[in-house]
Amino acid sequence: MLTQTITPTYFIIDFDSTFTKVEGLDELASIALAGHSDRVRIVEQIRDLTEKGMNGEMSFSEGLRRRIELLSANRQHIEVLVELLRTKVSDSFQRNKRFLSEQVDHIYIISSGFKEFIVPIVTELGIREDHVYANEFRFDAEGTIIGIDESNVLSTDGGKIKLLRTLSLPGDVYVIGDGYTDYELRESGLANRFYAFTENVQRPRVVKVADHVAASLDEFLYHNRLNRSQSYPKSRIKVLLLENVHPVAVQAFEEEGFKVEFVKGALDEDELCERIRDVSIIGIRSKTQITKKVLENANRLMAIGAFCIGTNQIDLKTATERGVAVFNAPYSNTRSVVELAIGEMIMLIRNIVPKSNMMHTGGWDKSAVGSFEVRGKKLGLVGYGNIGTQLSVVAEALGMEVYFYDVVDKLAIGNARKVRSLDDLLQLADVVSMHVDGRKENTNLIGKREFELMKNGVIFMNLARGHVVDIQALAEAVKSGKVAGAGVDVFPKEPKTNDEAFESELCGLNNVILSPHIGGSTEEAQVNIGYFVPGKLLEYINNGSTYASVNFPEVQLPKLGDSHRLLHIHANVPGVLAKLNSIFAKNNINITGQYLKTNETIGYVIVDIARDYSEEFIKELKEIEGTIRFRMLY
């Protein structure tokens, strides 16, 4: 009987800029030359020599010799360097200590750096000291570095090749490194594959000749189906952020290791259909329309983040049917909108805008005619959601009587009073302020008829959605004097970018404040949104939690422990859970946690299981009838 022999795989890992984020010798120079009058120039010269050597632009041995000549260091400096390097281990190596320990007999560190600072670092992560090959310093009696051990093969040109040849490893050899000398191991025929490691530095010449590019150790492990801390390499997750969202959002995704593309303006449907391919997460504000056509072109989309309150710009029905979770920021900018509404209301009721405009042209109108206090006036809120309720509280503090109308039964805050109909509200209010959502039914909610119902000299404000007010009807009401002043922040048609011209029937009208959809555009609000929305998206991507999603069943999940988490999104039809449990039982799967939530469209099942399972088991889960999306986390 013949037995199959499994060929072992050996992993050759570089140290500088691979295992750690920095070049050890460069950092040693920076430490040793602290206080030196020419420190900056010398350190820069050493780094330049390092780069040339790593890129294969000069003889390695010559570059090493010249760097040592410039160095003025001793053992104490090396001790300081080791402490620094402990904080500079590459993030993906820190995450994957389990791989390092499991493969301890097959991992070798081969570096042109120096054992004195390499061994203390790599052994702390489980690497065998006898598997570390690197140069060694020579010291004088006082411990000052006076040179290197020139008998060490790694101090010579082609040293890594010579060393690997002497090791004569009996199996496949994979090399992970950032420098040209690492690639030369593959070029020599001694290694089967070379992975250009780009987590810390990307050298174009090295990337060009690599068999594969690994943006992290996670990606290398994923490519080779090896044990890893992440179910997928985050560098494969592409994030598209549109409409100039706050930089903290970009930072949040980049710190997670995601690949981020940032676009200042909005994109039209055709542009978005092209750009959204291979995107896993998209972030938008209010101008970008995520239509059914866009979603049909989103082959890898998992989640949408609306960096605003409203989500009417997103086809939520199609997103849900395709298993795409949607998150927004329902509270993050409410204060900013409320403050703008209060400010505009006072400016309008005091008739400040025309007086200010007159003064800019040399006029002077010191008169109280047409100017009033807000105290004692009736504020009518159309919509009593997050913004409406907060505006209600602030307006009441100013001495106003607050009335509101909402299609949903809402509990009044403070002394605010609910009226029975929109018509009733419009007839009693001195100030009408719009705070409804963007659903289609609200299109032209306020038109010619509604303006006619209002008091003569009413103040009207719309900081909600552009299409909820008939702009032409508003313009006519202002011209006739029916509306004494208007504040409008949103419009049916808005420029996509700051470079496009704005046109409206409201331009040039007396006592009308126009603002370019900036109700929520304060630094504070945008920072809050920039943290909140990515936080929810990352919770969903990394953990599976859907708390605060606007279209998915809401599930707040515990942190993932030592289990693997299966996320199964399916059409809400009878029998799916029974089929799932049947497959678990058939494959003797040990379930450590199970969660289920449904809405009218989809079901969301989350199951934490022990690590021992087969690929066939996963295949069965994916093939359950009604499955929309399946993914795994660990």
Side-chain angles (χ1 to χ4, degrees):
M1 180 178 177
L2 295 175
T3 57
Q4 185 177 4
T5 303
I6 299 175
T7 303
T9 301
Y10 294 89
F11 308 98
I12 308 300
I13 302 175
D14 185 29
F15 181 77
D16 295 305
S17 295
T18 298
F19 202 99
T20 60
K21 301 175 183 179
V22 294
E23 292 287 329
L25 203 58
D26 296 357
E27 297 302 318
L28 180 60
S30 186
I31 292 166
L33 293 167
H36 193 287
S37 59
D38 211 12
R39 174 177 179 261
V40 174
R41 184 188 64 81
I42 296 172
V43 171
E44 191 57 40
Q45 197 173 347
I46 290 173
R47 285 182 174 154
D48 182 58
L49 290 167
T50 300
E51 281 300 303
K52 287 181 177 177
M54 291 299 98
N55 286 315
E57 295 172 11
M58 70 180 301
S59 160
F60 169 77
S61 59
E62 180 191 352
L64 181 60
R65 177 184 57 78
R66 288 171 61 183
R67 282 185 290 165
I68 295 298
E69 287 174 356
L70 290 167
L71 192 64
S72 180
N74 57 43
R75 290 188 186 276
Q76 287 185 326
H77 296 137
I78 293 173
E79 290 174 6
V80 176
L81 173 64
V82 169
E83 288 304 311
L84 173 68
L85 293 179
R86 285 193 172 104
T87 69
K88 298 293 183 179
V89 174
S90 296
D91 295 338
S92 62
F93 277 81
Q94 289 277 25
R95 285 194 297 268
N96 288 286
K97 293 177 184 177
R98 184 168 182 165
F99 162 73
L100 299 177
S101 62
E102 286 181 351
Q103 298 289 341
V104 64
D105 294 330
H106 293 105
I107 294 175
Y108 289 80
I109 303 294
I110 298 182
S111 170
S112 301
F114 290 81
K115 273 191 176 184
E116 285 82 358
F117 58 75
I118 294 176
V119 169
I121 304 303
V122 299
T123 53
E124 288 179 1
L125 270 75
I127 304 297
R128 287 171 47 173
E129 184 173 351
D130 63 331
H131 278 204
V132 178
Y133 294 88
N135 283 296
E136 295 181 73
F137 291 118
R138 287 191 300 110
F139 300 90
D140 64 16
E142 285 73 41
T144 301
I145 296 172
I146 57 174
I148 63 174
D149 178 5
E150 294 182 358
S151 67
N152 188 322
V153 69
L154 288 169
S155 69
T156 65
D157 290 335
K160 288 188 177 182
I161 295 172
K162 297 170 188 174
L163 176 68
L164 187 56
R165 187 171 284 122
T166 62
L167 290 177
S168 190
L169 299 174
D172 293 335
V173 175
Y174 297 167
V175 177
I176 309 168
D178 64 281
Y180 200 80
T181 56
D182 302 309
Y183 159 68
E184 288 176 337
L185 295 175
R186 171 74 169 93
E187 185 184 40
S188 70
L190 295 171
N192 301 78
R193 297 178 193 169
F194 167 60
Y195 290 81
F197 189 81
T198 60
E199 182 173 333
N200 305 308
V201 63
Q202 185 163 320
R203 309 183 199 278
R205 189 180 178 202
V206 178
V207 168
K208 186 177 180 180
V209 296
D211 295 298
H212 304 278
V213 176
S216 63
L217 184 59
D218 306 291
E219 190 151 329
F220 169 81
L221 299 177
Y222 179 83
H223 186 265
N224 290 286
R225 296 189 175 185
L226 294 166
N227 198 345
R228 57 194 180 275
S229 65
Q230 297 179 341
S231 49
Y232 57 90
K234 292 186 177 180
S235 55
R236 287 175 172 259
I237 296 290
K238 186 176 178 182
V239 180
L240 176 61
L241 298 178
L242 306 178
E243 300 187 64
N244 205 28
V245 300
H246 199 278
V248 297
V250 179
Q251 182 182 348
F253 289 116
E254 287 182 340
E255 285 178 352
E256 282 286 317
F258 295 164
K259 189 176 180 181
V260 180
E261 183 181 357
F262 179 80
V263 179
K264 281 193 172 183
L267 300 177
D268 64 28
E269 187 177 61
D270 289 339
E271 290 174 312
L272 195 51
C273 285
E274 185 65 32
R275 296 286 280 275
I276 205 168
R277 290 194 182 100
D278 297 327
V279 167
S280 299
I281 301 170
I282 185 169
I284 62 170
R285 293 175 74 181
S286 55
K287 292 179 186 175
T288 301
Q289 301 294 310
I290 307 289
T291 63
K292 181 176 182 179
K293 181 180 176 182
V294 170
L295 289 165
E296 287 171 348
N297 282 272
N299 57 319
R300 296 184 64 179
L301 192 64
M302 291 191 286
I304 300 170
F307 285 69
C308 53
I309 295 174
T311 55
N312 59 292
Q313 71 277 40
I314 303 166
D315 185 338
L316 294 176
K317 180 176 181 293
T318 302
T320 306
E321 291 170 349
R322 296 179 67 87
V324 178
V326 180
F327 299 87
N328 68 338
Y331 312 109
S332 300
N333 66 355
T334 54
R335 179 69 186 193
S336 298
V337 178
V338 167
E339 287 187 5
L340 182 62
I342 290 290
E344 289 193 353
M345 178 173 63
I346 294 172
M347 296 282 282
L348 292 166
I349 209 165
R350 288 291 301 272
N351 207 28
I352 294 295
V353 176
K355 292 182 185 294
S356 175
N357 291 340
M358 181 182 293
M359 292 187 70
H360 279 285
T361 59
W364 182 266
D365 179 20
K366 182 175 169 59
S367 169
V369 176
S371 295
F372 305 92
E373 292 182 352
V374 297
R375 181 177 53 177
K377 302 299 184 293
K378 297 179 176 67
L379 171 62
L381 300 172
V382 183
Y384 202 62
N386 298 323
I387 293 174
T389 52
Q390 197 170 139
L391 179 56
S392 169
V393 172
V394 178
E396 195 173 313
L398 292 173
M400 301 186 78
E401 296 180 24
V402 179
Y403 299 84
F404 69 90
Y405 171 73
D406 200 303
V407 293
V408 178
D409 191 24
K410 296 287 184 71
L411 177 67
I413 304 294
N415 295 315
R417 282 165 275 184
K418 182 176 181 178
V419 298
R420 291 181 299 175
S421 69
L422 176 60
D423 287 1
D424 289 346
L425 183 79
L426 298 179
Q427 291 176 73
L428 67 84
D430 300 305
V431 179
V432 175
S433 190
M434 304 296 296
H435 300 287
V436 297
D437 62 29
R439 69 186 70 180
K440 289 181 180 179
E441 293 81 0
N442 286 335
T443 300
N444 290 339
L445 182 65
I446 304 296
K448 187 174 186 293
R449 173 186 171 277
E450 286 70 31
F451 283 116
E452 289 174 350
L453 289 173
M454 298 180 195
K455 288 182 176 180
N456 291 329
V458 70
I459 299 298
F460 180 81
M461 300 190 301
N462 182 21
L463 287 82
R465 294 290 181 274
H467 66 271
V468 305
V469 176
D470 182 336
I471 293 294
Q472 186 175 349
L474 173 57
E476 290 172 357
V478 172
K479 291 174 185 176
S480 70
K482 181 73 175 182
V483 173
V488 183
D489 184 55
V490 288
F491 304 88
K493 184 179 180 183
E494 298 179 356
K496 290 181 184 177
T497 69
N498 291 343
D499 297 326
E500 291 185 27
F502 168 72
E503 296 178 356
S504 173
E505 294 95 325
L506 299 174
C507 291
L509 297 185
N510 191 49
N511 204 24
V512 173
I513 298 175
L514 304 179
S515 53
H517 203 146
I518 55 170
S521 295
T522 61
E523 280 293 328
E524 294 88 347
Q526 294 309 306
V527 169
N528 289 338
I529 293 171
Y531 283 119
F532 183 85
V533 176
K536 291 301 175 186
L537 290 166
L538 290 171
E539 273 189 9
Y540 175 62
I541 297 298
N542 294 335
N543 177 261
S545 289
T546 54
Y547 182 73
S549 171
V550 298
N551 68 325
F552 261 44
E554 289 191 71
V555 182
Q556 183 70 61
L557 298 170
K559 284 188 176 181
L560 184 57
D562 200 40
S563 302
H564 285 193
R565 178 165 288 170
L566 313 181
L567 310 175
H568 190 273
I569 303 165
H570 57 270
N572 187 6
V573 294
V576 175
L577 187 59
K579 291 175 184 176
L580 283 166
N581 288 330
S582 173
I583 293 171
F584 289 132
K586 171 187 167 187
N587 288 272
N588 296 314
I589 300 299
N590 180 25
I591 297 175
T592 59
Q594 189 170 27
Y595 315 86
L596 167 66
K597 206 75 177 283
T598 63
N599 61 22
E600 62 275 10
T601 307
I602 62 171
Y604 185 35
V605 177
I606 304 97
V607 185
D608 293 346
I609 65 172
R611 293 170 174 264
D612 188 20
Y613 55 84
S614 66
E615 289 188 14
E616 183 60 33
F617 161 69
I618 298 300
K619 183 181 177 185
E620 286 185 59
L621 293 178
K622 291 179 179 179
E623 291 177 350
I624 291 176
E625 187 177 354
T627 299
I628 297 172
R629 186 184 295 272
F630 174 87
R631 63 190 183 104
M632 295 178 59
L633 299 174
Y634 51 83

